[in-house]
Amino acid sequence: MRLDQACQYAGSLPCCSECLSPGQEIPSKMVDEEAKSLPMELSEKGGVENNGFVQNEAFDDKETDTSSQEETPKTCIIGVNPEATEEPALEPYAGMPKEVLLKFSSQARYRVTREILFWLIIAAAVMLVCATIAIIALSPKCLDWWQASPIYQIYPRSFKDSDMDGNGDLKGIQEKLDHIVNLNIKTVWITSFYKSPLKDLGYGAEDFYDIDPMFGSMSDFENLLAAIHDRGLKVIMDIIPNHTSDKHRWFQLSRNRTGKYTDYYIWQDCVQAGAVIAVPNNWVSVYGNSSWQFDDVRKQCYFHQFGKEQPDLNFRNLAVQQEIHDIIKFWLGKGVDGFSFVAVKFLLEATHLRNEPQVNKSQNSESITAYSELYHDYTTTQVGMHDIIRSFRQTMDQYSSEPGRYRFMGSDGDEKEDIGATMMYYGTTFVQEADFPFNFYLINMKNLSGNSIFEAVNLWMKNMPKGKWPNWAVGSPNTARISSRFGKKYVSVINMLLLTLPGTPITYYGEEIGMENIASGNVTFPEKSPMQWDGQVNAGFTEGTSSWLPVNPDYQSVNVEVQMTWSNSTLSLYRELTLLRNNELPIHRGWMCYIWNDSNVFVYVRELDGLDRVFMMVLNFGQESTIDLKGIVPSLPSVATIRLSTNFSNTGKAVNTNTIKTEAGEGLVLEYKTGKPVHTMEAFQDNCFVAEKACYSSAFNLLYVNC
């Protein structure tokens, strides 16, 4: 459209010659915009609306009238430069659509930047993966739950009674789980609670798949198990594969020669002549007298290593082995975290049935009745026994595939026999058996001294296979308590030993407060007295009128409630020691080196490669003693700090390492810094041991293995 045409079309729309030269075209877009604004201007002038189809006559009249009015200055609304009407160059902006984005993404400056960022991200990802792999490869194996925490052993009948019948039960254990948590312990070991006639305190099961009513129901067990796991704890239970109760269904079927059960037990012909039975050989029960018992139903003798109410299973029968595997699977399926296999050295007997050799060859063979009078070459640790244990391990491994669900396996060993026989329960480098055989050498000590403690510790550490994990126990349901064996003043120092040695410590219930045996001569099981919770009647064990065993008369002062309030109590020290063990790497998994031992003291250090902080234990198991440790280890600093003491008033004090004095039963955990750890010194090479070697990097605050 030309300028003159545009002015005619616009009517009163102002134009000027300065804006465009004659004959110059007006951009159609601008014309359209001006035309659109015309009706609005007309409306403002006279309220007359033009719809763009028919020109309104009133509009013509109005326009004529206004033509006589004074002409007003006109302003041009059209740009002066035609190039200004072109679209400006487009720049990137936020929220641009895909079409616009693609237009810019192909430009070199954006493409190059994008490619640089892409390869930087790829390189960073590769470096992160490589670093992760390197850390995993260099990191030591993490300690498993059965290594990281002490184990708390509970005899359920004596722990806590919930139904006032005088017998501890599973609900009672559940009520007292917070006590175990407060001890900084994460593993609970509950001894046998199978349905049983209790002829041997529950170690002859009548039904491996049920709970004895004395302890509760299967529902009670499941609730206890859930409560244990809810608190982040683990639970171990006993399994006794060697024998059953004579009330067991298998035995009843076997004595009647019923089907496959006929050979589930060990039967031999024997002749009964009146009150005298001609038994197959001279084998003697652990409890004394012949290990053969005549059965009136089957008219044969069955073999029993323990009581006559506990017949031995025939493990040369594969069906019997499968029965035990099924029992293992049942309890693991319930969620149990591990087993203590009891009496496994008795699983097999020699098939030739020869007489066992006498200890005293001059003794009349007819007079032999005690277990200790024979060498048990044919009734313990027979060829094939370890193969059976390994098969149990394989079954348990089937339930250990989930992360964090490793199933622990412990076993008793041959603690009264050759140490080498006990170490065989660890298995081999290629075939695993138990995670560890339980160590009873500290329990079996006859006399307490610095030397005897050293000998018991050294015996295990010297003979333990490389890479295996030690364990220590100072009490059990079958042994007199520490206080009763050695005296009250040695309880805390023995707990200090237990919780600072390398490996897994095992605490029998009540040892954390220093419980003693019951003094009464009428009590058969003095070490199984009820747990002492408080100073109320029956020590808080039961709200009933009596308990199955008497409570120790000292319960008013020796109980959990009162010792929680005493800073210098046995319980307070125990809790501090478990915290120290859990929090300090050298004690948790470092080196142990013997420094000194004599009739009074046993001294050792715990160190970790790469960490300059060292802990030295000075433990007195005899009489008052003063020792010059700096003279023994010249590189020791002149002063060390008492990190913990059996006498809490000494904690935090400084001591001279050339004159360290300890009272009878006193224990010190000393802390110092050094750049020359003992385990690197040639003079102590034969006295140092480490189970899970690790080194500490202070730069990265992590552990690694290639020291």
Side-chain angles (χ1 to χ4, degrees), residues 332 390 392-402 406-407 432:
L332 293 180
R390 289 166 192 158
F392 295 157
R393 171 78 267 174
Q394 291 167 4
T395 295
M396 296 184 68
D397 285 344
Q398 297 173 16
Y399 291 79
S400 298
S401 57
E402 299 178 25
Y406 181 83
R407 306 308 175 96
Q432 184 181 6

PDB file of all heavy atoms in Angstrom, residues 332 390 392-402 406-407 432:
ATOM      1  N   LEU A 332      16.477 -71.827  61.679  1.00  0.00           N
ATOM      2  CA  LEU A 332      16.988 -70.726  60.864  1.00  0.00           C
ATOM      3  C   LEU A 332      15.846 -70.059  60.105  1.00  0.00           C
ATOM      4  O   LEU A 332      15.839 -68.840  59.914  1.00  0.00           O
ATOM      5  CB  LEU A 332      18.049 -71.226  59.889  1.00  0.00           C
ATOM      6  CG  LEU A 332      19.369 -71.720  60.495  1.00  0.00           C
ATOM      7  CD1 LEU A 332      20.316 -72.177  59.401  1.00  0.00           C
ATOM      8  CD2 LEU A 332      20.030 -70.633  61.340  1.00  0.00           C
ATOM      9  N   ARG A 390      30.951 -80.227  59.137  1.00  0.00           N
ATOM     10  CA  ARG A 390      31.051 -79.404  57.929  1.00  0.00           C
ATOM     11  C   ARG A 390      29.743 -79.406  57.154  1.00  0.00           C
ATOM     12  O   ARG A 390      29.362 -78.400  56.552  1.00  0.00           O
ATOM     13  CB  ARG A 390      32.191 -79.915  57.054  1.00  0.00           C
ATOM     14  CG  ARG A 390      33.572 -79.634  57.631  1.00  0.00           C
ATOM     15  CD  ARG A 390      34.643 -80.436  56.922  1.00  0.00           C
ATOM     16  NE  ARG A 390      35.910 -80.369  57.654  1.00  0.00           N
ATOM     17  CZ  ARG A 390      36.881 -81.257  57.555  1.00  0.00           C
ATOM     18  NH1 ARG A 390      36.738 -82.301  56.742  1.00  0.00           N
ATOM     19  NH2 ARG A 390      37.986 -81.117  58.247  1.00  0.00           N
ATOM     20  N   PHE A 392      26.818 -79.566  58.503  1.00  0.00           N
ATOM     21  CA  PHE A 392      25.957 -78.617  59.221  1.00  0.00           C
ATOM     22  C   PHE A 392      26.280 -77.187  58.784  1.00  0.00           C
ATOM     23  O   PHE A 392      25.385 -76.364  58.576  1.00  0.00           O
ATOM     24  CB  PHE A 392      26.152 -78.750  60.733  1.00  0.00           C
ATOM     25  CG  PHE A 392      25.727 -80.071  61.313  1.00  0.00           C
ATOM     26  CD1 PHE A 392      26.253 -80.515  62.525  1.00  0.00           C
ATOM     27  CD2 PHE A 392      24.817 -80.883  60.666  1.00  0.00           C
ATOM     28  CE1 PHE A 392      25.874 -81.722  63.081  1.00  0.00           C
ATOM     29  CE2 PHE A 392      24.422 -82.106  61.215  1.00  0.00           C
ATOM     30  CZ  PHE A 392      24.963 -82.527  62.417  1.00  0.00           C
ATOM     31  N   ARG A 393      27.576 -76.915  58.642  1.00  0.00           N
ATOM     32  CA  ARG A 393      28.004 -75.579  58.207  1.00  0.00           C
ATOM     33  C   ARG A 393      27.440 -75.253  56.824  1.00  0.00           C
ATOM     34  O   ARG A 393      26.983 -74.134  56.572  1.00  0.00           O
ATOM     35  CB  ARG A 393      29.528 -75.541  58.176  1.00  0.00           C
ATOM     36  CG  ARG A 393      30.160 -74.319  57.543  1.00  0.00           C
ATOM     37  CD  ARG A 393      30.142 -73.135  58.485  1.00  0.00           C
ATOM     38  NE  ARG A 393      28.987 -72.292  58.327  1.00  0.00           N
ATOM     39  CZ  ARG A 393      28.706 -71.280  59.118  1.00  0.00           C
ATOM     40  NH1 ARG A 393      29.480 -70.975  60.140  1.00  0.00           N
ATOM     41  NH2 ARG A 393      27.634 -70.532  58.914  1.00  0.00           N
ATOM     42  N   GLN A 394      27.453 -76.226  55.943  1.00  0.00           N
ATOM     43  CA  GLN A 394      26.947 -76.011  54.592  1.00  0.00           C
ATOM     44  C   GLN A 394      25.457 -75.704  54.598  1.00  0.00           C
ATOM     45  O   GLN A 394      24.983 -74.847  53.844  1.00  0.00           O
ATOM     46  CB  GLN A 394      27.252 -77.233  53.723  1.00  0.00           C
ATOM     47  CG  GLN A 394      28.737 -77.411  53.430  1.00  0.00           C
ATOM     48  CD  GLN A 394      29.059 -78.767  52.837  1.00  0.00           C
ATOM     49  OE1 GLN A 394      28.165 -79.574  52.569  1.00  0.00           O
ATOM     50  NE2 GLN A 394      30.342 -79.036  52.634  1.00  0.00           N
ATOM     51  N   THR A 395      24.727 -76.382  55.457  1.00  0.00           N
ATOM     52  CA  THR A 395      23.290 -76.092  55.568  1.00  0.00           C
ATOM     53  C   THR A 395      23.071 -74.679  56.089  1.00  0.00           C
ATOM     54  O   THR A 395      22.204 -73.946  55.591  1.00  0.00           O
ATOM     55  CB  THR A 395      22.616 -77.113  56.505  1.00  0.00           C
ATOM     56  OG1 THR A 395      22.696 -78.410  55.910  1.00  0.00           O
ATOM     57  CG2 THR A 395      21.158 -76.760  56.738  1.00  0.00           C
ATOM     58  N   MET A 396      23.845 -74.276  57.061  1.00  0.00           N
ATOM     59  CA  MET A 396      23.704 -72.924  57.607  1.00  0.00           C
ATOM     60  C   MET A 396      24.083 -71.868  56.583  1.00  0.00           C
ATOM     61  O   MET A 396      23.494 -70.787  56.539  1.00  0.00           O
ATOM     62  CB  MET A 396      24.551 -72.784  58.872  1.00  0.00           C
ATOM     63  CG  MET A 396      24.085 -73.691  59.994  1.00  0.00           C
ATOM     64  SD  MET A 396      24.992 -73.443  61.520  1.00  0.00           S
ATOM     65  CE  MET A 396      24.457 -71.808  61.986  1.00  0.00           C
ATOM     66  N   ASP A 397      25.061 -72.189  55.736  1.00  0.00           N
ATOM     67  CA  ASP A 397      25.477 -71.224  54.716  1.00  0.00           C
ATOM     68  C   ASP A 397      24.364 -70.931  53.718  1.00  0.00           C
ATOM     69  O   ASP A 397      24.343 -69.867  53.097  1.00  0.00           O
ATOM     70  CB  ASP A 397      26.710 -71.739  53.974  1.00  0.00           C
ATOM     71  CG  ASP A 397      27.976 -71.622  54.810  1.00  0.00           C
ATOM     72  OD1 ASP A 397      27.962 -70.876  55.813  1.00  0.00           O
ATOM     73  OD2 ASP A 397      28.977 -72.278  54.468  1.00  0.00           O
ATOM     74  N   GLN A 398      23.453 -71.856  53.555  1.00  0.00           N
ATOM     75  CA  GLN A 398      22.324 -71.625  52.648  1.00  0.00           C
ATOM     76  C   GLN A 398      21.449 -70.469  53.133  1.00  0.00           C
ATOM     77  O   GLN A 398      20.728 -69.860  52.345  1.00  0.00           O
ATOM     78  CB  GLN A 398      21.475 -72.892  52.525  1.00  0.00           C
ATOM     79  CG  GLN A 398      22.197 -74.074  51.915  1.00  0.00           C
ATOM     80  CD  GLN A 398      21.379 -75.357  51.969  1.00  0.00           C
ATOM     81  OE1 GLN A 398      20.163 -75.323  52.192  1.00  0.00           O
ATOM     82  NE2 GLN A 398      22.033 -76.492  51.772  1.00  0.00           N
ATOM     83  N   TYR A 399      21.524 -70.172  54.421  1.00  0.00           N
ATOM     84  CA  TYR A 399      20.726 -69.093  55.005  1.00  0.00           C
ATOM     85  C   TYR A 399      21.565 -67.845  55.267  1.00  0.00           C
ATOM     86  O   TYR A 399      21.099 -66.905  55.926  1.00  0.00           O
ATOM     87  CB  TYR A 399      20.089 -69.565  56.318  1.00  0.00           C
ATOM     88  CG  TYR A 399      19.007 -70.603  56.125  1.00  0.00           C
ATOM     89  CD1 TYR A 399      19.325 -71.936  55.894  1.00  0.00           C
ATOM     90  CD2 TYR A 399      17.662 -70.246  56.161  1.00  0.00           C
ATOM     91  CE1 TYR A 399      18.339 -72.896  55.706  1.00  0.00           C
ATOM     92  CE2 TYR A 399      16.666 -71.190  55.977  1.00  0.00           C
ATOM     93  CZ  TYR A 399      17.011 -72.513  55.753  1.00  0.00           C
ATOM     94  OH  TYR A 399      16.015 -73.453  55.564  1.00  0.00           O
ATOM     95  N   SER A 400      22.787 -67.834  54.768  1.00  0.00           N
ATOM     96  CA  SER A 400      23.694 -66.712  55.035  1.00  0.00           C
ATOM     97  C   SER A 400      23.934 -65.836  53.822  1.00  0.00           C
ATOM     98  O   SER A 400      24.839 -65.009  53.825  1.00  0.00           O
ATOM     99  CB  SER A 400      25.046 -67.247  55.540  1.00  0.00           C
ATOM    100  OG  SER A 400      24.896 -67.949  56.744  1.00  0.00           O
ATOM    101  N   SER A 401      23.137 -66.012  52.765  1.00  0.00           N
ATOM    102  CA  SER A 401      23.403 -65.289  51.522  1.00  0.00           C
ATOM    103  C   SER A 401      22.950 -63.835  51.566  1.00  0.00           C
ATOM    104  O   SER A 401      23.500 -62.986  50.874  1.00  0.00           O
ATOM    105  CB  SER A 401      22.721 -66.000  50.348  1.00  0.00           C
ATOM    106  OG  SER A 401      21.324 -66.116  50.576  1.00  0.00           O
ATOM    107  N   GLU A 402      21.957 -63.519  52.385  1.00  0.00           N
ATOM    108  CA  GLU A 402      21.475 -62.140  52.458  1.00  0.00           C
ATOM    109  C   GLU A 402      22.474 -61.267  53.213  1.00  0.00           C
ATOM    110  O   GLU A 402      23.052 -61.698  54.211  1.00  0.00           O
ATOM    111  CB  GLU A 402      20.123 -62.082  53.171  1.00  0.00           C
ATOM    112  CG  GLU A 402      19.024 -62.860  52.489  1.00  0.00           C
ATOM    113  CD  GLU A 402      17.731 -62.805  53.280  1.00  0.00           C
ATOM    114  OE1 GLU A 402      17.553 -61.830  54.036  1.00  0.00           O
ATOM    115  OE2 GLU A 402      16.920 -63.732  53.155  1.00  0.00           O
ATOM    116  N   TYR A 406      24.384 -63.232  58.076  1.00  0.00           N
ATOM    117  CA  TYR A 406      25.295 -64.357  58.256  1.00  0.00           C
ATOM    118  C   TYR A 406      24.861 -65.158  59.483  1.00  0.00           C
ATOM    119  O   TYR A 406      24.528 -64.590  60.532  1.00  0.00           O
ATOM    120  CB  TYR A 406      26.725 -63.857  58.434  1.00  0.00           C
ATOM    121  CG  TYR A 406      27.724 -64.971  58.608  1.00  0.00           C
ATOM    122  CD1 TYR A 406      28.243 -65.627  57.504  1.00  0.00           C
ATOM    123  CD2 TYR A 406      28.133 -65.380  59.870  1.00  0.00           C
ATOM    124  CE1 TYR A 406      29.162 -66.658  57.650  1.00  0.00           C
ATOM    125  CE2 TYR A 406      29.044 -66.409  60.036  1.00  0.00           C
ATOM    126  CZ  TYR A 406      29.551 -67.041  58.922  1.00  0.00           C
ATOM    127  OH  TYR A 406      30.445 -68.073  59.082  1.00  0.00           O
ATOM    128  N   ARG A 407      24.869 -66.489  59.347  1.00  0.00           N
ATOM    129  CA  ARG A 407      24.447 -67.352  60.453  1.00  0.00           C
ATOM    130  C   ARG A 407      25.691 -67.929  61.139  1.00  0.00           C
ATOM    131  O   ARG A 407      26.491 -68.628  60.515  1.00  0.00           O
ATOM    132  CB  ARG A 407      23.538 -68.466  59.941  1.00  0.00           C
ATOM    133  CG  ARG A 407      22.325 -67.969  59.146  1.00  0.00           C
ATOM    134  CD  ARG A 407      21.516 -66.906  59.900  1.00  0.00           C
ATOM    135  NE  ARG A 407      20.437 -66.375  59.089  1.00  0.00           N
ATOM    136  CZ  ARG A 407      19.175 -66.796  59.130  1.00  0.00           C
ATOM    137  NH1 ARG A 407      18.834 -67.753  59.962  1.00  0.00           N
ATOM    138  NH2 ARG A 407      18.263 -66.243  58.365  1.00  0.00           N
ATOM    139  N   GLN A 432      35.307 -74.671  55.751  1.00  0.00           N
ATOM    140  CA  GLN A 432      35.000 -74.055  57.034  1.00  0.00           C
ATOM    141  C   GLN A 432      34.128 -74.967  57.883  1.00  0.00           C
ATOM    142  O   GLN A 432      33.249 -75.666  57.380  1.00  0.00           O
ATOM    143  CB  GLN A 432      34.278 -72.721  56.826  1.00  0.00           C
ATOM    144  CG  GLN A 432      34.016 -71.964  58.114  1.00  0.00           C
ATOM    145  CD  GLN A 432      33.287 -70.653  57.870  1.00  0.00           C
ATOM    146  OE1 GLN A 432      32.886 -70.374  56.749  1.00  0.00           O
ATOM    147  NE2 GLN A 432      33.106 -69.865  58.914  1.00  0.00           N
TER     148      GLN A 432
END
